[in-house]
Amino acid sequence: MERNREALLAAAAAVFVEQGVQAPIRDIAGRAGVGVGTVYRHFPTRAELVTAVYRHQLDECAALAPQLLREPIAPTEALTRWVATFVEFLVTKHGLGVALQSEDPSLLSLHRLMLEKLIPACATLIDAGVAAGEIDPEVTAYRLMRAVGNLCILGAGYDRADAKDMVARLLTGCRQTRD
Amino acid sequence: MERNREALLAAAAAVFVEQGVQAPIRDIAGRAGVGVGTVYRHFPTRAELVTAVYRHQLDECAALAPQLLREPIAPTEALTRWVATFVEFLVTKHGLGVALQSEDPSLLSLHRLMLEKLIPACATLIDAGVAAGEIDPEVTAYRLMRAVGNLCILGAGYDRADAKDMVARLLTGCRQTRD
Amino acid sequence: MERNREALLAAAAAVFVEQGVQAPIRDIAGRAGVGVGTVYRHFPTRAELVTAVYRHQLDECAALAPQLLREPIAPTEALTRWVATFVEFLVTKHGLGVALQSEDPSLLSLHRLMLEKLIPACATLIDAGVAAGEIDPEVTAYRLMRAVGNLCILGAGYDRADAKDMVARLLTGCRQTRD
Amino acid sequence: MERNREALLAAAAAVFVEQGVQAPIRDIAGRAGVGVGTVYRHFPTRAELVTAVYRHQLDECAALAPQLLREPIAPTEALTRWVATFVEFLVTKHGLGVALQSEDPSLLSLHRLMLEKLIPACATLIDAGVAAGEIDPEVTAYRLMRAVGNLCILGAGYDRADAKDMVARLLTGCRQTRD
DNA sequence: TATGAATGAGCCTTCATTCAT
DNA sequence: CATGAATGAAGGCTCATTCAT
């Protein structure tokens, strides 16, 4: 049933927020009100479940880059806005940051997804900024995103506002410093 | 025996580097050449062991701040040097970054230790910078350290050099920008 | 639909060859291009499916005995030929040997089928041999067939040729030895 | 504790008799009155447990061959006695026959053990028989033992006496037939 | 004090079997 | 009748933690 797939994605998203992407499969099944077998039927591996939960957001985020480039704004502004959206996703979906930088084999798919979709998207914005002399050419999409992803790992005393602030400062530090 | 305590700290440090702070207790015991019971005798909880392993480094790091303040250098330079030392600890001691920002109840001691020792140390440097008009007053020691700690979570394709670079950019973004 | 029954028998036969009679029901359903429910509808228990798959061969084998008795050959030769046919079935239908001697409750039907059809058939040949003084009266159809069935359990380094050879030697040992 | 190892071996032997060598580890642990972890501590893999249970018997059996060769008896008689001992082990230790011919990766050790110990032992006896012109040179130790092992798979209506009888007939069929 | 064997909870994964559509 | 999604029992394995020696 399609209903279960939806329920599972919702349950998984909720459980990932609470426990992270390494939460026991049973917990997700229980939250969705189904048996563990059902989880395995729909998502044979943990990676497939995690990937499914975040795929849509990642696609949207990737699609945002070309849109921003078409707008009549400075490359730096475009990158800033894109990163802001990225951050929004990261802090909304607790655990995604960790997942994106994990080397856990069961999360390889998600990592690959990031490499395939987000890195190129982010890279186009950085390239535009570099071309305009606004961004330090040393900055690479991969490193920047890893850093942003890390900065978005929240905790007590370090909320999403703090993360946004720190990401903004990091971007400031990525500006071209021609002195 | 005091010998065992030393051996355990050395073994734990080594194992933490290789496997992170969640490494099996048995591995640490084995590395130290003792039984697991001995680990529990000396360090009843994992947090106490982790704390003990890093306490010395943290003390040193905390002591560095007043030294730097006494030197004839700009406050920004002092903060930069202090953070560099902090980063060195973070990336050298694999897992410390994660541990410092973890809410895992078993690591609360370490978190508390950071609050008690490092935050004040870092805060004096920030305060000096703010007083000199070099640092944005919005920046707080706690948030900065969390951010730096996060930036030092390494992984494939994001090594210590990358972390240092990103931390440097973050500090740039923390400068007073009254233009 | 009768079609499904046929498809299932064919699929089951194929899967039994590959995986043995303990193969997952789902594999059989998949091979037949039907749902698992359909398997259960036609064959409520695994035993019924296994039985159905082999019934025809068993019937043929049973019918061979009276034919051989009618031919102008020595009783020993008749028994040898019959056993050869039996062996052919056993090694061709992977898992049948195991199934025939299994005490697994789910395979009782097949066991009963052997008792009802094959034992009497084999017994008539043995009786003829005993009457002719060629076969040791100690040999009983049931034990002989169990033994032959066991000898036909193949494996790496013990193929059907080996099984045939050993069965031939066993039959040699069943000859009347009044010397 | 050495006691547990003994208890485990005893429990495993008993459970293997009842359920075969694929019995759940939990059952063995329960029978021995220990936790599953204890089983894994003593025998990290199923193969090691099975091997340990049967190693002693296999060693004894292997050692019997040279003894028999030294006695003033016919090679055929020696082989017959050795096989009788082998059969005794096989039927006493239910499941060993199956285990010895299994291709299950978890039982590879046991299979290897048979290859290393029993095959050579049996081969020396066969060679002696062949040299004396009493045994058909076509017979190889491996095939003979596989066959004997198979013949010793017991079941309802086919007990150890039946197995012995059939093995005896098989050996008769292995005699040199110079006519 | 030190040891490490023992325990058992907890997670993963597979499949036989049921049942709503 | 057919389907195949759902269920959940079963069994494997891994450690954190305890405790008798």
Side-chain angles (χ1 to χ4, degrees), chain B residues 1 4 34 37-38 41:
Chain B
M1 216 190 299
N4 272 335
V34 303
T38 304
R41 162 171 297 278

PDB file of all heavy atoms in Angstrom, chain B residues 1 4 34 37-38 41, chain E residues 1-6:
ATOM      1  N   MET B   1      46.431  -0.065  41.365  1.00  0.00           N
ATOM      2  CA  MET B   1      47.775   0.416  41.029  1.00  0.00           C
ATOM      3  C   MET B   1      47.692   1.651  40.128  1.00  0.00           C
ATOM      4  O   MET B   1      46.849   1.708  39.242  1.00  0.00           O
ATOM      5  CB  MET B   1      48.539  -0.689  40.302  1.00  0.00           C
ATOM      6  CG  MET B   1      50.019  -0.712  40.645  1.00  0.00           C
ATOM      7  SD  MET B   1      50.849  -1.836  39.525  1.00  0.00           S
ATOM      8  CE  MET B   1      50.005  -3.374  39.937  1.00  0.00           C
ATOM      9  N   ASN B   4      48.173   1.141  36.245  1.00  0.00           N
ATOM     10  CA  ASN B   4      47.046   0.805  35.379  1.00  0.00           C
ATOM     11  C   ASN B   4      46.304   2.038  34.897  1.00  0.00           C
ATOM     12  O   ASN B   4      45.856   2.102  33.756  1.00  0.00           O
ATOM     13  CB  ASN B   4      46.066  -0.111  36.125  1.00  0.00           C
ATOM     14  CG  ASN B   4      46.456  -1.565  35.951  1.00  0.00           C
ATOM     15  OD1 ASN B   4      47.108  -1.909  34.972  1.00  0.00           O
ATOM     16  ND2 ASN B   4      46.081  -2.387  36.898  1.00  0.00           N
ATOM     17  N   VAL B  34      44.854  -4.931  30.256  1.00  0.00           N
ATOM     18  CA  VAL B  34      44.154  -5.236  31.509  1.00  0.00           C
ATOM     19  C   VAL B  34      42.774  -5.806  31.195  1.00  0.00           C
ATOM     20  O   VAL B  34      42.362  -5.859  30.041  1.00  0.00           O
ATOM     21  CB  VAL B  34      43.982  -3.966  32.375  1.00  0.00           C
ATOM     22  CG1 VAL B  34      45.333  -3.329  32.650  1.00  0.00           C
ATOM     23  CG2 VAL B  34      43.046  -2.987  31.689  1.00  0.00           C
ATOM     24  N   GLY B  37      37.197  -5.271  33.756  1.00  0.00           N
ATOM     25  CA  GLY B  37      36.829  -4.905  35.118  1.00  0.00           C
ATOM     26  C   GLY B  37      37.705  -3.786  35.650  1.00  0.00           C
ATOM     27  O   GLY B  37      37.248  -2.904  36.382  1.00  0.00           O
ATOM     28  N   THR B  38      38.944  -3.803  35.258  1.00  0.00           N
ATOM     29  CA  THR B  38      39.879  -2.770  35.696  1.00  0.00           C
ATOM     30  C   THR B  38      39.501  -1.408  35.127  1.00  0.00           C
ATOM     31  O   THR B  38      39.623  -0.385  35.801  1.00  0.00           O
ATOM     32  CB  THR B  38      41.306  -3.151  35.258  1.00  0.00           C
ATOM     33  OG1 THR B  38      41.605  -4.436  35.785  1.00  0.00           O
ATOM     34  CG2 THR B  38      42.309  -2.144  35.781  1.00  0.00           C
ATOM     35  N   ARG B  41      36.722  -0.224  37.186  1.00  0.00           N
ATOM     36  CA  ARG B  41      37.138   0.170  38.528  1.00  0.00           C
ATOM     37  C   ARG B  41      37.674   1.596  38.520  1.00  0.00           C
ATOM     38  O   ARG B  41      37.318   2.420  39.351  1.00  0.00           O
ATOM     39  CB  ARG B  41      38.227  -0.784  39.029  1.00  0.00           C
ATOM     40  CG  ARG B  41      39.028  -0.236  40.199  1.00  0.00           C
ATOM     41  CD  ARG B  41      39.925  -1.319  40.763  1.00  0.00           C
ATOM     42  NE  ARG B  41      39.127  -2.407  41.281  1.00  0.00           N
ATOM     43  CZ  ARG B  41      38.555  -2.411  42.467  1.00  0.00           C
ATOM     44  NH1 ARG B  41      38.665  -1.342  43.277  1.00  0.00           N
ATOM     45  NH2 ARG B  41      37.861  -3.443  42.877  1.00  0.00           N
TER      46      ARG B  41
ATOM     47  P    DT E   1      42.775  -0.065  46.334  1.00  0.00           P
ATOM     48  OP1  DT E   1      43.868   0.848  46.050  1.00  0.00           O
ATOM     49  OP2  DT E   1      41.445   0.334  46.781  1.00  0.00           O
ATOM     50  O5'  DT E   1      42.652  -0.986  45.071  1.00  0.00           O
ATOM     51  C5'  DT E   1      42.660  -2.418  45.316  1.00  0.00           C
ATOM     52  C4'  DT E   1      43.491  -3.059  44.262  1.00  0.00           C
ATOM     53  O4'  DT E   1      43.430  -4.457  44.443  1.00  0.00           O
ATOM     54  C3'  DT E   1      42.977  -2.795  42.855  1.00  0.00           C
ATOM     55  O3'  DT E   1      44.084  -2.813  41.968  1.00  0.00           O
ATOM     56  C2'  DT E   1      42.026  -3.938  42.634  1.00  0.00           C
ATOM     57  C1'  DT E   1      42.701  -5.063  43.406  1.00  0.00           C
ATOM     58  N1   DT E   1      41.742  -5.978  44.061  1.00  0.00           N
ATOM     59  C2   DT E   1      41.862  -7.326  43.814  1.00  0.00           C
ATOM     60  O2   DT E   1      42.719  -7.801  43.101  1.00  0.00           O
ATOM     61  N3   DT E   1      40.939  -8.107  44.459  1.00  0.00           N
ATOM     62  C4   DT E   1      39.931  -7.680  45.303  1.00  0.00           C
ATOM     63  O4   DT E   1      39.156  -8.488  45.823  1.00  0.00           O
ATOM     64  C5   DT E   1      39.861  -6.256  45.522  1.00  0.00           C
ATOM     65  C7   DT E   1      38.819  -5.683  46.429  1.00  0.00           C
ATOM     66  C6   DT E   1      40.759  -5.485  44.889  1.00  0.00           C
ATOM     67  P    DA E   2      43.909  -2.568  40.450  1.00  0.00           P
ATOM     68  OP1  DA E   2      45.138  -2.033  39.868  1.00  0.00           O
ATOM     69  OP2  DA E   2      42.621  -1.881  40.225  1.00  0.00           O
ATOM     70  O5'  DA E   2      43.771  -4.088  39.985  1.00  0.00           O
ATOM     71  C5'  DA E   2      44.882  -4.945  40.121  1.00  0.00           C
ATOM     72  C4'  DA E   2      44.684  -6.180  39.267  1.00  0.00           C
ATOM     73  O4'  DA E   2      43.705  -7.038  39.892  1.00  0.00           O
ATOM     74  C3'  DA E   2      44.167  -5.891  37.863  1.00  0.00           C
ATOM     75  O3'  DA E   2      44.856  -6.759  36.971  1.00  0.00           O
ATOM     76  C2'  DA E   2      42.674  -6.187  37.963  1.00  0.00           C
ATOM     77  C1'  DA E   2      42.621  -7.286  39.005  1.00  0.00           C
ATOM     78  N9   DA E   2      41.423  -7.295  39.847  1.00  0.00           N
ATOM     79  C8   DA E   2      40.798  -6.231  40.422  1.00  0.00           C
ATOM     80  N7   DA E   2      39.758  -6.547  41.162  1.00  0.00           N
ATOM     81  C5   DA E   2      39.701  -7.928  41.068  1.00  0.00           C
ATOM     82  C6   DA E   2      38.833  -8.875  41.618  1.00  0.00           C
ATOM     83  N6   DA E   2      37.818  -8.557  42.430  1.00  0.00           N
ATOM     84  N1   DA E   2      39.050 -10.174  41.328  1.00  0.00           N
ATOM     85  C2   DA E   2      40.070 -10.490  40.532  1.00  0.00           C
ATOM     86  N3   DA E   2      40.959  -9.689  39.954  1.00  0.00           N
ATOM     87  C4   DA E   2      40.721  -8.404  40.266  1.00  0.00           C
ATOM     88  P    DT E   3      44.504  -6.729  35.428  1.00  0.00           P
ATOM     89  OP1  DT E   3      45.745  -7.052  34.709  1.00  0.00           O
ATOM     90  OP2  DT E   3      43.757  -5.503  35.112  1.00  0.00           O
ATOM     91  O5'  DT E   3      43.543  -7.973  35.316  1.00  0.00           O
ATOM     92  C5'  DT E   3      43.984  -9.215  35.859  1.00  0.00           C
ATOM     93  C4'  DT E   3      42.895 -10.248  35.699  1.00  0.00           C
ATOM     94  O4'  DT E   3      41.838  -9.996  36.649  1.00  0.00           O
ATOM     95  C3'  DT E   3      42.230 -10.241  34.313  1.00  0.00           C
ATOM     96  O3'  DT E   3      42.528 -11.464  33.691  1.00  0.00           O
ATOM     97  C2'  DT E   3      40.745 -10.062  34.580  1.00  0.00           C
ATOM     98  C1'  DT E   3      40.624 -10.401  36.055  1.00  0.00           C
ATOM     99  N1   DT E   3      39.564  -9.670  36.803  1.00  0.00           N
ATOM    100  C2   DT E   3      38.607 -10.397  37.466  1.00  0.00           C
ATOM    101  O2   DT E   3      38.574 -11.617  37.453  1.00  0.00           O
ATOM    102  N3   DT E   3      37.677  -9.645  38.149  1.00  0.00           N
ATOM    103  C4   DT E   3      37.635  -8.256  38.221  1.00  0.00           C
ATOM    104  O4   DT E   3      36.761  -7.698  38.866  1.00  0.00           O
ATOM    105  C5   DT E   3      38.661  -7.567  37.498  1.00  0.00           C
ATOM    106  C7   DT E   3      38.701  -6.081  37.501  1.00  0.00           C
ATOM    107  C6   DT E   3      39.570  -8.295  36.828  1.00  0.00           C
ATOM    108  P    DG E   4      42.713 -11.476  32.130  1.00  0.00           P
ATOM    109  OP1  DG E   4      43.805 -12.412  31.819  1.00  0.00           O
ATOM    110  OP2  DG E   4      42.734 -10.107  31.603  1.00  0.00           O
ATOM    111  O5'  DG E   4      41.330 -12.164  31.736  1.00  0.00           O
ATOM    112  C5'  DG E   4      40.940 -13.354  32.399  1.00  0.00           C
ATOM    113  C4'  DG E   4      39.443 -13.550  32.213  1.00  0.00           C
ATOM    114  O4'  DG E   4      38.726 -12.659  33.105  1.00  0.00           O
ATOM    115  C3'  DG E   4      38.950 -13.196  30.807  1.00  0.00           C
ATOM    116  O3'  DG E   4      37.823 -13.998  30.502  1.00  0.00           O
ATOM    117  C2'  DG E   4      38.483 -11.762  30.973  1.00  0.00           C
ATOM    118  C1'  DG E   4      37.820 -11.904  32.331  1.00  0.00           C
ATOM    119  N9   DG E   4      37.535 -10.664  32.996  1.00  0.00           N
ATOM    120  C8   DG E   4      38.015  -9.416  32.704  1.00  0.00           C
ATOM    121  N7   DG E   4      37.528  -8.483  33.475  1.00  0.00           N
ATOM    122  C5   DG E   4      36.683  -9.160  34.342  1.00  0.00           C
ATOM    123  C6   DG E   4      35.869  -8.682  35.397  1.00  0.00           C
ATOM    124  O6   DG E   4      35.746  -7.529  35.794  1.00  0.00           O
ATOM    125  N1   DG E   4      35.169  -9.701  36.018  1.00  0.00           N
ATOM    126  C2   DG E   4      35.244 -11.035  35.662  1.00  0.00           C
ATOM    127  N2   DG E   4      34.510 -11.879  36.362  1.00  0.00           N
ATOM    128  N3   DG E   4      35.994 -11.490  34.672  1.00  0.00           N
ATOM    129  C4   DG E   4      36.680 -10.501  34.059  1.00  0.00           C
ATOM    130  P    DA E   5      38.063 -15.293  29.708  1.00  0.00           P
ATOM    131  OP1  DA E   5      39.370 -15.869  30.031  1.00  0.00           O
ATOM    132  OP2  DA E   5      37.708 -14.967  28.332  1.00  0.00           O
ATOM    133  O5'  DA E   5      36.929 -16.237  30.309  1.00  0.00           O
ATOM    134  C5'  DA E   5      37.049 -16.722  31.632  1.00  0.00           C
ATOM    135  C4'  DA E   5      35.668 -16.873  32.252  1.00  0.00           C
ATOM    136  O4'  DA E   5      35.211 -15.595  32.749  1.00  0.00           O
ATOM    137  C3'  DA E   5      34.587 -17.359  31.289  1.00  0.00           C
ATOM    138  O3'  DA E   5      33.721 -18.236  32.002  1.00  0.00           O
ATOM    139  C2'  DA E   5      33.898 -16.089  30.848  1.00  0.00           C
ATOM    140  C1'  DA E   5      34.005 -15.217  32.086  1.00  0.00           C
ATOM    141  N9   DA E   5      34.126 -13.775  31.828  1.00  0.00           N
ATOM    142  C8   DA E   5      34.937 -13.168  30.901  1.00  0.00           C
ATOM    143  N7   DA E   5      34.861 -11.860  30.917  1.00  0.00           N
ATOM    144  C5   DA E   5      33.944 -11.586  31.917  1.00  0.00           C
ATOM    145  C6   DA E   5      33.426 -10.380  32.429  1.00  0.00           C
ATOM    146  N6   DA E   5      33.796  -9.181  32.002  1.00  0.00           N
ATOM    147  N1   DA E   5      32.526 -10.460  33.423  1.00  0.00           N
ATOM    148  C2   DA E   5      32.168 -11.680  33.880  1.00  0.00           C
ATOM    149  N3   DA E   5      32.585 -12.879  33.483  1.00  0.00           N
ATOM    150  C4   DA E   5      33.481 -12.757  32.486  1.00  0.00           C
ATOM    151  P    DA E   6      32.500 -18.822  31.219  1.00  0.00           P
ATOM    152  OP1  DA E   6      32.207 -20.103  31.893  1.00  0.00           O
ATOM    153  OP2  DA E   6      32.736 -18.774  29.769  1.00  0.00           O
ATOM    154  O5'  DA E   6      31.337 -17.806  31.593  1.00  0.00           O
ATOM    155  C5'  DA E   6      31.033 -17.610  32.966  1.00  0.00           C
ATOM    156  C4'  DA E   6      29.810 -16.740  33.096  1.00  0.00           C
ATOM    157  O4'  DA E   6      30.182 -15.369  32.847  1.00  0.00           O
ATOM    158  C3'  DA E   6      28.677 -17.076  32.104  1.00  0.00           C
ATOM    159  O3'  DA E   6      27.486 -17.290  32.837  1.00  0.00           O
ATOM    160  C2'  DA E   6      28.602 -15.872  31.187  1.00  0.00           C
ATOM    161  C1'  DA E   6      29.224 -14.753  32.016  1.00  0.00           C
ATOM    162  N9   DA E   6      29.941 -13.760  31.219  1.00  0.00           N
ATOM    163  C8   DA E   6      30.833 -13.997  30.213  1.00  0.00           C
ATOM    164  N7   DA E   6      31.333 -12.904  29.676  1.00  0.00           N
ATOM    165  C5   DA E   6      30.731 -11.888  30.385  1.00  0.00           C
ATOM    166  C6   DA E   6      30.843 -10.478  30.302  1.00  0.00           C
ATOM    167  N6   DA E   6      31.636  -9.860  29.430  1.00  0.00           N
ATOM    168  N1   DA E   6      30.099  -9.748  31.152  1.00  0.00           N
ATOM    169  C2   DA E   6      29.304 -10.379  32.029  1.00  0.00           C
ATOM    170  N3   DA E   6      29.123 -11.686  32.195  1.00  0.00           N
ATOM    171  C4   DA E   6      29.874 -12.388  31.334  1.00  0.00           C
TER     172       DA E   6
END
